[in-house]
Amino acid sequence: MKKRSYVSLLLILLAACLALAGCGGGKKNAEGGTLAAIKERGKVIAGVKYDTKLFGLKDPATGKVEGFDIDIAKALAKKILGDENKVELKEVTSKTRIPLLQNGDIDLIIATMTITEDRKKQVDFSDVYFKAGQSLLVKKGSPIKGLEDLKKGTKVLAVKGSTSAKNIREKAPDATVLEFENYQDAFTALKAGQGDALTTDNAILLGMQKQDPNYELVGGNFTDEPYGIAIKKGDSEFVSVVNDLLKEMKESGEYDKLYEQWMGVKPE
């Protein structure tokens, strides 16, 4: 009896091990490819901005998030799942977006993210989907007309984790740079007189100017900021899917239509 019990126990343990191995293998497959995970759960989880007019802005009254990046996310859901509504929008900031992607909390980042060599070490990027350039936003009548006016004692506002904060320190080393969690906080600080200028990509600043016409862009663009959609490092299959989508949107005219809808001008 003891021998049979021992054999039975071994068989039970073996079965349990095989079951766990099977579960582990299934989990590994789901995690191994973003596309497979999306199809399995039946929705795309996109990391987007909630504070960036024209690209991703949440209406506090309705709770709805709208913008150019949001429509790209919807188009991707339609391509993969056949329904643009099968997308979950998860808020990210310049500081949180890469960690959220790496942790698997989101499938991709569509959030005014500039493609840089440093970021390529952490994530993979799609083809460029929007071309922007860094500029300055000031109150109308400000003596600041360009980079040359950002001297010692001048306070420039920027956002944590953005390329803009790094660029402005290099291009205006005498100015004091104050960093905020997101664009709305930075713009609120500018309007409250906590800084003399706000810097980020011109397309984002244009959205702020539309919110409050008492502010204007000055100095032109002093960097090139090519936006890309960020995907988990090594997921070449999903990068190809996203690039196919962007190509299809441009060839069909859908991209130009969305661009003009949100930016008010045709893409160059």
Side-chain angles (χ1 to χ4, degrees):
M1 289 291 292
K2 288 184 179 179
K3 187 175 181 179
R4 284 199 297 270
S5 298
Y6 181 67
V7 172
S8 298
L9 179 60
L10 284 176
L11 289 172
I12 291 169
L13 289 172
L14 180 60
C17 288
L18 289 171
L20 286 171
C23 291
K27 186 177 180 183
K28 185 176 180 181
N29 288 337
E31 289 180 348
T34 306
L35 184 61
I38 289 171
K39 289 180 177 178
E40 185 176 332
R41 86 166 78 91
K43 67 178 176 181
V44 175
I45 302 176
V48 299
K49 295 281 183 70
Y50 277 24
D51 68 332
T52 309
K53 191 173 177 65
L54 304 183
F55 289 91
L57 185 67
K58 185 175 183 179
D59 186 330
T62 64
K64 193 173 182 181
V65 188
E66 295 181 313
F68 184 75
D69 286 349
I70 309 306
D71 285 344
I72 296 288
K74 288 179 178 179
L76 182 64
K78 186 175 182 180
K79 176 178 175 62
I80 297 173
L81 301 169
D83 185 346
E84 69 169 24
N85 295 312
K86 289 185 176 180
V87 59
E88 178 183 335
L89 304 174
K90 188 164 285 192
E91 182 180 13
V92 300
T93 65
S94 297
K95 182 180 177 181
T96 65
R97 56 193 173 187
I98 289 180
L100 286 171
L101 179 65
Q102 292 176 329
N103 291 340
D105 295 312
I106 54 179
D107 296 320
L108 72 172
I109 301 167
I110 314 178
T112 63
M113 190 170 181
T114 302
I115 300 170
T116 68
E117 291 305 314
D118 282 343
R119 287 174 177 167
K120 283 181 181 179
K121 296 172 185 176
Q122 303 176 74
V123 301
D124 285 339
F125 280 103
S126 70
D127 295 334
V128 175
Y129 77 97
F130 192 94
K131 292 181 180 179
Q134 189 170 342
S135 190
L136 299 171
L137 183 74
V138 299
K139 191 168 186 177
K140 285 184 176 178
S142 168
I144 295 173
K145 304 299 179 186
L147 280 174
E148 65 279 4
D149 298 316
L150 301 181
K151 300 172 182 176
K152 190 172 182 178
T154 305
K155 293 180 181 178
V156 184
L157 312 181
V159 170
K160 293 178 183 178
S162 66
T163 54
S164 304
K166 179 183 176 183
N167 291 339
I168 202 66
R169 284 190 170 94
E170 294 174 352
K171 295 182 180 296
D174 294 331
T176 299
V177 179
L178 304 177
E179 294 184 57
F180 294 81
E181 291 296 331
N182 57 58
Y183 294 114
Q184 285 303 312
D185 286 352
F187 191 30
T188 298
L190 180 67
K191 291 190 285 187
Q194 294 178 32
D196 304 295
L198 193 159
T199 188
T200 187
D201 304 339
N202 61 332
I204 297 173
L205 295 177
L206 180 61
M208 295 178 184
Q209 181 183 309
K210 287 188 176 183
Q211 283 180 281
D212 191 335
N214 291 311
Y215 292 81
E216 63 181 352
L217 276 69
V218 296
N221 296 343
F222 49 88
T223 67
D224 290 321
E225 304 292 334
Y227 292 170
I229 296 171
I231 291 153
K232 189 171 283 189
K233 193 74 179 169
D235 197 342
S236 56
E237 177 190 35
F238 196 44
V239 172
S240 294
V241 170
V242 173
N243 283 339
D244 285 347
L245 168 73
L246 295 175
K247 184 180 178 182
E248 289 164 10
M249 290 181 71
K250 288 180 179 180
E251 288 177 350
S252 70
E254 184 181 359
Y255 178 89
D256 288 6
K257 183 180 177 182
L258 287 179
Y259 191 106
E260 191 170 1
Q261 174 189 334
W262 290 106
M263 305 304 146
V265 294
K266 293 181 183 294
E268 295 180 2

